[in-house]
């Protein structure tokens, strides 16, 4: 496509971001605020650096995907507002909010189902109260607050356990299970832990849709389905014909021996966005079959 649309982003080298760049390279002229950018490294925790890029860009949107995403690493930093998790997730987001306010840009922020406590029996809706139970979720909830309390145009897209069709340097939920089965090292999978898998190949189309429609507000943007770890692994075992001897495990039992809190249910209801989308997301069964046949 000629005349590509300028688009600022953070985290565009990450698991989700790099797939967005790959699938929309013809449409957007991406400009990544990233430490790895050799000619112009940007640390989003540095307010001046963030401001300098936003103030000289023609992009109307900033798609903010950069985050400290290591949940166990975050747990080890619990309460540490000087730690890297808080710095990237909270201060980094605050810097982007400030710079968007100064430059009139619309912030599209990626968030997580870990802002919830996981105690709800049904799928979470956008109006449910956030109540994070561990540090990663807490910092992501604080980032959401920095955005929702601002006067900028904003969109928050919450996802859960994202995975993509192709293997990436950071191993996602699908590829962790495939690798574990192939190497005969997969632990028993919890049959009492519920989550809402997010197929990244479809999710990046939602980001594009949000930009096209200039949508604002909070949206859940997973597959909209609820799976246990065990059922999800069973589906992969079948569709990829891995013939692994899959065993069921129990999160409740595991929690008796673990200090680290774990959300029991992070499945998200997506009716709000589903009713607006101009395309149909694939079901998880369709996706896994498709991935198995690649
Ligand atoms: N993965 C999940 O399970 C999951 C679940 C729910 C929500 N999310 C959310 O979805 C978004 C994308 O996640 P992901 O899994 O794609 O992330 P990821 O693969 O861990 O990538 C994170 C990105 O953030 C960048 N980054 C970290 N610190 C930075 C800093 N100080 N300045 C600039 N860039 C920095 C990293 O840059 P380098 O490449 O240079 O290190 C990397 O590209 C995040 O907001 C995350 O919270 C993820």
């Amino acid at each position: 496509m000629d005349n590509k649309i300028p688009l600022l982003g953070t985290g565009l080298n990450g698991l989700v971001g790099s797939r967005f760049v790959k699938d929309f390279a013809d449409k957007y002229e991406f400009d990544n605020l990233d430490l790895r950018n050799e000619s112009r490294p940007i640390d989003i925790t540095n307010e001046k650096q963030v401001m300098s890029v936003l103030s000289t860009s023609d992009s109307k949107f900033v798609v903010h995907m950069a985050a400290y995403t290591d949940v166990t690493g975050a747990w080890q930093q619990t309460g540490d507002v000087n730690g890297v998790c808080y710095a990237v997730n909270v201060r980094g987001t605050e810097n982007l909010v400030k710079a968007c306010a100064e430059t009139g840009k619309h912030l599209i922020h990626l968030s997580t189902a870990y802002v919830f406590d996981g105690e709800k029996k049904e799928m979470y809706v956008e109006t449910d109260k956030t109540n994070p139970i561990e540090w990663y979720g807490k910092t992501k909830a604080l980032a959401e607050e920095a955005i929702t309390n601002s006067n900028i145009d904003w969109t928050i897209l919450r996802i859960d356990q994202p995975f993509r069709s192709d293997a990436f340097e950071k191993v996602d939920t699908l590829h962790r299970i495939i690798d574990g089965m192939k190497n005969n090292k997969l632990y028993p999978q919890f049959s009492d832990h519920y989550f809402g898998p997010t197929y990244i190949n479809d999710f990046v189309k939602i980001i594009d849709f949000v930009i096209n429609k200039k949508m604002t507000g909070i949206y859940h943007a997973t597959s909209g389905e609820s799976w246990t770890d065990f059922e999800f692994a069973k589906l992969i075992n079948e569709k990829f014909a891995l013939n692994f001897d899959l065993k069921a495990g129990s999160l409740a039992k595991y929690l008796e021996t673990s200090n680290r809190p774990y959300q029991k249910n992070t499945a998200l209801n997506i009716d709000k966005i589903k009713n607006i989308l101009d395309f149909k997301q694939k079901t998880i069964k369709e996706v896994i079959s498709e991935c198995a046949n690649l």
Side-chain angles (χ1 to χ4, degrees):
M1 190 193 283
D2 290 331
N3 297 325
K4 287 196 219 175
I5 302 163
L7 185 60
L8 282 172
T10 72
L12 295 180
N13 288 322
L15 173 70
V16 180
S18 61
R19 186 75 217 195
F20 183 44
V21 170
K22 194 173 181 176
D23 291 356
F24 286 91
D26 289 344
K27 176 166 179 180
Y28 297 113
E29 191 63 55
F30 288 101
D31 187 1
N32 191 11
L33 285 80
D34 190 80
L35 285 163
R36 274 199 256 172
N37 187 330
E38 279 177 14
S39 56
R40 194 211 53 201
I42 299 292
D43 181 346
I44 61 160
T45 68
N46 183 312
E47 191 180 331
K48 273 195 188 141
Q49 288 181 8
V50 171
M51 189 64 82
S52 76
V53 180
L54 265 68
S55 59
T56 52
S57 168
D58 290 334
S59 175
K60 292 189 166 56
F61 292 84
V62 182
V63 183
H64 176 31
M65 315 205 204
Y68 182 93
T69 57
D70 174 357
V71 181
T72 304
W75 168 240
Q76 285 153 1
Q77 297 168 41
T78 299
D80 182 3
V81 296
N82 297 312
V84 62
C85 177
Y86 188 94
V88 174
N89 293 358
V90 185
R91 287 207 201 94
T93 303
E94 286 170 352
N95 289 340
L96 284 155
V97 169
K98 268 189 217 156
C100 283
E102 288 272 326
T103 59
K105 297 193 194 302
H106 180 145
L107 187 66
I108 299 174
H109 173 72
L110 260 64
S111 193
T112 169
Y114 286 16
V115 295
F116 297 118
D117 59 20
E119 292 299 323
K120 191 174 174 181
K121 297 286 173 253
E122 303 84 32
M123 289 195 265
Y124 283 93
V125 292
E126 287 83 350
T127 47
D128 282 330
K129 209 174 151 3
T130 60
N131 184 30
I133 57 170
E134 42 67 51
W135 193 236
Y136 168 73
K138 173 84 183 167
T139 59
K140 293 294 287 186
L142 288 170
E144 286 193 0
E145 266 176 45
I147 294 166
T148 55
N149 289 335
S150 76
N151 291 320
I152 63 171
D153 288 333
W154 57 263
T155 319
I156 293 174
L157 299 174
R158 292 192 188 127
I159 57 174
D160 189 26
Q161 302 218 11
F163 67 94
R164 48 196 263 183
S165 54
D166 54 327
F168 184 66
E169 61 196 59
K170 178 174 144 184
V171 180
D172 63 29
T173 312
L174 169 66
H175 294 90
R176 179 185 57 76
I177 293 170
I178 296 172
D179 293 350
M181 287 182 175
K182 282 188 176 163
N183 298 318
N184 225 5
K185 278 187 180 154
L186 191 72
Y187 289 111
Q189 296 291 294
F190 299 143
S191 55
D192 56 353
H193 172 246
Y194 297 83
F195 72 104
T198 304
Y199 185 45
I200 296 173
N201 303 45
D202 271 353
F203 173 67
V204 295
K205 293 185 202 157
I206 294 186
I207 302 175
D208 174 59
F209 182 81
V210 165
I211 294 172
N212 292 340
K213 300 282 180 202
K214 301 187 174 66
M215 277 160 59
T216 54
I218 301 182
Y219 297 89
H220 290 172
T222 63
S223 61
E225 298 181 22
S226 174
W227 285 78
T228 65
D229 298 6
F230 179 75
E231 288 298 330
F232 189 62
K234 193 170 147 217
L235 178 72
I236 294 167
N237 200 16
E238 281 165 16
K239 298 293 179 195
F240 282 77
L242 294 167
N243 295 319
F244 180 73
D245 181 19
L246 179 66
K247 301 259 185 335
S250 160
L251 174 62
K253 275 230 168 74
Y254 173 77
L255 284 176
E256 286 171 12
T257 61
S258 163
N259 290 331
R260 192 187 124 188
Y262 217 108
Q263 300 84 353
K264 296 184 192 87
N265 172 28
T266 50
L268 303 178
N269 175 305
I270 63 159
D271 288 353
K272 185 178 172 188
I273 201 156
K274 204 162 103 184
N275 292 334
I276 312 172
L277 283 183
D278 61 1
F279 67 95
K280 201 171 167 297
Q281 293 202 83
K282 295 191 181 84
T283 66
I284 290 301
K285 282 188 178 160
E286 286 167 350
V287 166
I288 299 299
S289 298
E290 218 174 85
C291 291
N293 290 319
L294 281 179

